[in-house]
Amino acid sequence: MMKSLCALLVFLVAAAEGQGLKGQWEVPTVSAKNLDQWQEFIFPSGQELAWRNIRWHRELEFAADEAKELGRPVLLWTMNGHPAGET
């Protein structure tokens, strides 16, 4: 994973240099000294992943029962086809 992130960063820097953007800002570098900062910048925080803690139900009946108990609405997600449009 780390190799992939470093490779992506190198690619982006090379692309920026190829677009004539060199000199407009300091080119970011990855080193052992700033690796923790890059990881903190790239990876999502706990707050950004809070949606993973939402309890999802596959059956509408169970979701409706829980929503009624908690006094909350139900989000009903329906669709036709593959979520990534690969139908």
Side-chain angles (χ1 to χ4, degrees), residues 3 6 8 16 21 23 27 34 38 42 45-47 53-54 56 60 63-64 66 68 75 81 83 86-87:
K3 288 182 182 180
C6 290
L8 176 62
L21 300 175
V27 177
N34 66 6
W38 277 108
I42 293 170
S45 68
Q47 185 178 7
N53 297 327
I54 297 173
W56 297 96
L60 181 58
E66 184 176 321
K68 187 175 181 181
L75 171 65
E86 299 174 2
T87 55

Side-chain angles (χ1 to χ4, degrees), residues 50-59 62-63 66 74-77:
W51 64 271
R52 290 183 172 181
N53 297 327
I54 297 173
R55 188 170 158 168
W56 297 96
H57 295 283
R58 294 182 184 197
E59 300 292 331
F62 299 128
E66 184 176 321
V74 174
L75 171 65
L76 177 61
W77 180 282

